[in-house]
Amino acid sequence: MGFSEWLQIALYLGILLLLVKPLGSYMAKVYRGEYNFLSWIELPLYRVLGVNPAQEMNWRVYALAMLIFNILGLGVLYVLQRIQASLPLNPAELPDVPADTAFNAAVSFATNTNWQSYGGETTMSYLTQMLGLTVQNFVSAATGMAILAALMRGLARKSAQTIGNFWVDAVRGVLYILLPLSFILALLLVSEGVVQTFSGPHTVQTLEAAEQTLAVGPAASQVAIKQLGTNGGGFFNVNSAHPFENPTPLSNFLQMLAILLIPAALCYTFGAMIDDTRQGWAVLVVMLLIFVPLALATVLAEQNGNPLYDGLGIDQTDGNMEGKEVRFGVVNSALWATATTAASNGSVNSMHDSYTPLGGMIPLWLMQLGEVIFGGVGSGLYGLLIFAIVAVFIAGLMVGRTPEYLGKKIDVFEMKMASLVILLPPLLVLFGTAVSVMTDTGITSMQDAGPHGFSETLYAYSSAGNNNGSAFAGFNANTPFQNTMLGVVMFLARYGLAIPVLAIAGSLAAKKKIPSGSGTLPTHTPLFVIWLAMVVIVVGALSFLPALALGPVVEHLLLDAGRLF
């Protein structure tokens, strides 16, 4: 890589890290209830919901409120899609969404996955995009952050029976964090040329004197929250590769920064909430230790290009540009690919299906790590904290001491719940992939044969099973079989993890704090940071290395031998 490439990556990471402390500190105060400047909106909302904001919940009530709220939202979104042809704000006169596609999309947006088996501008009306998809972008993100807030309270409190109030956490997450940031980002994106209009499609004449229909719409408002909330669902079919959704290098930088902004800042929020900011910096360093080398490896893989082209004398000075926008180039495309899969975001500014085998494998593996390297807003950090609990448990077994984390003893119940959190995503991914490649219906979804076709299927279920939403574009998921299978996987991957996390939060909140002693494992030191990073990597490798060997690894080896798929 040249100086300019290093500078782009350093600038991105540098600005991101500069924003971690101020935003993280602000979010900690929000969840502590120290801000009330929007009480004139907040308090009437509680009255409408019939909620007493002063009344806290135990973990079971918290989980039940979370499930009821999300399932109701899922149902409303499904109905909205099924009757959109009869509703206003549909200038393109789009028909009702088919049942299987509507089910998949409703589950996808409710679970913060935003997997899209359809083309947004040709399937969803403006009303569905705004009232359905954009609203779910806010509330699904707020749900993940609320669950994290509950876990942080569980770690910080002692001998307590409650972990907060879900309705308060969700409302405050939207009002004080997501809405203000989205408003600012949307204005910046509009200034860069991202469309925001209610007018219908425009018919224009091309340079070849042919007619072309250009879809437009209220895109900027949805793009802002899709990035900040790590949702990722594009207003247009090709997502952030579309010039109306991401027109300039500056809009690209702003969106890419937004993808990791809240997940990174929440690390500092965690440290502030437990009154030990060293712990927050430690988990952020763990994320960076894994993310930065993998991002650089993806950039290098794409810059090296296709070895078969070298033998044909094809110029690859700019690297592998297949499926990438010239206005972004290899570095910004590869950096986005790793950021979006690390953060459980799923938006794309290039087509991952066109990456080199190793360049495509790294984003695939980042999802398979369990969306804990930055991960979704809230869900990424609570996933990594579960890994931290497992890490101290393993360390305790190695030295023969009772494991503890942040002064709380880790007992059988916590380990059972943590095991569910860690094992469920690989189970869903591998089972779903196996069923898909074993059935004729599933095989027909693959565009390519051989290991690349297998990689397309593995990528789809890794994306759904880790609430990411990106895809190898050659995979046709808009079939009744895939829409149903992927919808079930997304639902279980979101709520099958959230409930055990809340159970751990409730269990830890009820425990007393144990004073640190000579046998206590410090969890803010370089030793623990490296240990936690290794636990994450080893679990990810043990779970998915055989599947990766059947897909991108063997494709890379065959590519060197002159085979294409």
Side-chain angles (χ1 to χ4, degrees):
M1 291 194 301
F3 174 75
S4 63
E5 285 82 5
W6 284 108
L7 182 61
Q8 290 177 67
I9 297 171
L11 182 66
Y12 173 66
L13 293 174
I15 294 177
L16 175 68
L17 293 176
L18 284 174
L19 295 172
V20 163
K21 183 175 179 179
L23 179 57
S25 178
Y26 170 78
M27 290 192 291
K29 291 179 180 178
V30 167
Y31 286 115
R32 282 174 169 167
E34 296 179 21
Y35 288 126
N36 61 1
F37 56 87
L38 292 175
S39 59
W40 55 281
I41 301 176
E42 185 181 0
L43 296 179
L45 276 175
Y46 297 143
R47 286 195 289 270
V48 170
L49 294 171
V51 171
N52 178 5
Q55 183 177 355
E56 292 202 347
M57 305 171 173
N58 62 39
W59 78 264
R60 291 179 178 84
V61 177
Y62 199 103
L64 181 62
M66 180 271 296
L67 279 175
I68 291 173
F69 178 64
N70 280 259
I71 291 173
L72 284 175
L74 189 158
V76 169
L77 179 53
Y78 176 82
V79 172
L80 186 62
Q81 294 175 81
R82 297 290 288 142
I83 62 172
Q84 72 173 12
S86 305
L87 299 174
L89 289 177
N90 186 10
E93 298 182 350
L94 297 173
D96 296 336
V97 180
D100 60 295
T101 304
F103 166 75
N104 184 276
V107 173
S108 177
F109 278 78
T111 59
N112 200 242
T113 309
N114 291 45
W115 168 271
Q116 293 174 289
S117 62
Y118 57 88
E121 69 270 44
T122 58
T123 308
M124 303 292 184
S125 70
Y126 292 173
L127 184 68
T128 303
Q129 294 265 25
M130 292 188 299
L131 184 59
L133 306 187
T134 304
V135 168
Q136 283 301 315
N137 282 347
F138 279 99
V139 297
S140 64
T143 295
M145 295 163 69
I147 295 168
L148 173 63
L151 179 59
M152 291 189 293
R153 293 190 192 102
L155 288 165
R157 292 177 176 180
K158 52 185 178 181
S159 302
Q161 299 302 314
T162 60
I163 55 174
N165 185 309
F166 170 76
W167 305 108
V168 173
D169 289 338
V171 167
R172 295 184 68 83
V174 171
L175 280 183
Y176 290 89
I177 300 171
L178 297 173
L179 267 175
L181 289 175
S182 297
F183 182 77
I184 294 169
L185 181 58
L187 289 179
L188 292 172
L189 293 178
V190 168
S191 73
E192 284 300 297
V194 179
V195 298
Q196 181 74 14
T197 178
F198 287 130
S199 65
H202 295 276
T203 300
V204 298
Q205 191 174 55
T206 67
L207 294 176
E208 292 82 11
E211 286 192 346
Q212 181 179 358
T213 300
L214 300 178
V216 292
S221 54
Q222 184 170 322
V223 171
I225 184 57
K226 88 168 187 181
Q227 307 298 21
L228 287 165
T230 59
N231 300 281
F235 189 94
F236 299 101
N237 188 30
V238 293
N239 210 284
S240 292
H242 199 289
F244 289 172
E245 194 165 314
N246 188 15
T248 68
L250 179 56
S251 71
N252 186 76
F253 183 84
L254 291 171
Q255 291 186 44
M256 195 161 56
L257 184 64
I259 290 173
L260 295 187
L261 179 60
I262 295 179
L266 280 171
C267 295
Y268 190 86
T269 302
F270 164 62
M273 289 282 283
I274 63 171
D275 294 321
D276 187 353
T277 55
R278 298 173 302 173
Q279 302 292 340
W281 290 117
V283 292
L284 179 59
V285 172
V286 171
M287 294 178 179
L288 291 170
L289 272 179
I290 298 175
F291 173 75
V292 173
L294 292 179
L296 294 176
T298 307
V299 171
L300 289 172
E302 293 307 296
Q303 284 190 325
N304 289 336
N306 189 330
L308 295 184
Y309 287 175
D310 295 331
L312 297 173
I314 298 175
D315 180 25
Q316 292 194 91
T317 304
D318 296 325
N320 174 32
M321 281 298 295
E322 181 186 344
K324 299 179 179 67
E325 294 295 308
V326 175
R327 66 186 184 277
F328 303 141
V330 165
V331 173
N332 285 304
S333 298
L335 188 56
W336 184 302
T338 48
T340 193
T341 48
S344 183
N345 178 272
S347 66
V348 296
N349 72 346
S350 60
M351 298 301 105
H352 296 181
D353 196 37
S354 297
Y355 277 44
T356 61
L358 295 184
M361 182 185 74
I362 294 170
L364 172 57
W365 193 51
L366 272 168
M367 293 188 298
Q368 293 170 343
L369 290 177
E371 67 153 343
V372 300
I373 308 307
F374 294 105
V377 288
S379 58
L381 182 52
Y382 69 62
L384 186 58
L385 293 179
I386 299 303
F387 268 101
I389 289 173
V390 173
V392 297
F393 178 77
I394 297 172
L397 291 178
M398 294 171 67
V399 298
R401 291 187 60 87
T402 301
E404 56 187 77
Y405 184 55
L406 303 180
K408 299 292 183 77
K409 281 189 177 183
I410 305 302
D411 294 317
V412 174
F413 179 78
E414 288 82 24
M415 286 312 302
K416 287 180 178 178
M417 295 298 103
S419 297
L420 288 175
V421 173
I422 290 177
L423 295 177
L424 184 59
L427 176 64
L428 292 170
V429 171
L430 296 174
F431 178 78
T433 302
V435 171
S436 186
V437 299
M438 288 173 60
T439 59
D440 293 337
T441 306
I443 291 173
T444 58
S445 292
M446 297 188 300
Q447 172 182 269
D448 300 291
H452 191 79
F454 176 78
S455 295
E456 291 172 350
T457 306
L458 179 62
Y459 194 106
Y461 281 91
S462 297
S463 181
N466 292 281
N467 296 137
N468 185 267
S470 63
F472 270 15
F475 187 80
N476 176 23
N478 199 9
T479 67
F481 173 81
Q482 297 293 359
N483 275 329
T484 304
M485 280 284 293
L486 290 165
V488 171
V489 168
M490 287 186 284
F491 187 90
L492 294 176
R494 176 70 163 185
Y495 305 115
L497 272 61
I499 294 173
V501 169
L502 290 173
I504 291 173
S507 177
L508 293 177
K511 294 186 177 185
K512 297 179 180 178
K513 287 251 185 180
I514 304 169
S516 298
S518 58
T520 301
L521 173 66
T523 53
H524 62 273
T525 61
L527 175 63
F528 184 76
V529 165
I530 295 172
W531 173 242
L532 178 53
M534 291 304 299
V535 169
V536 173
I537 291 170
V538 168
V539 170
L542 291 175
S543 301
F544 292 104
L545 189 56
L548 293 172
L550 292 172
V553 173
V554 73
E555 185 183 0
H556 172 74
L557 297 175
L558 292 174
L559 180 65
D560 285 339
R563 290 285 305 279
L564 294 173
F565 297 92

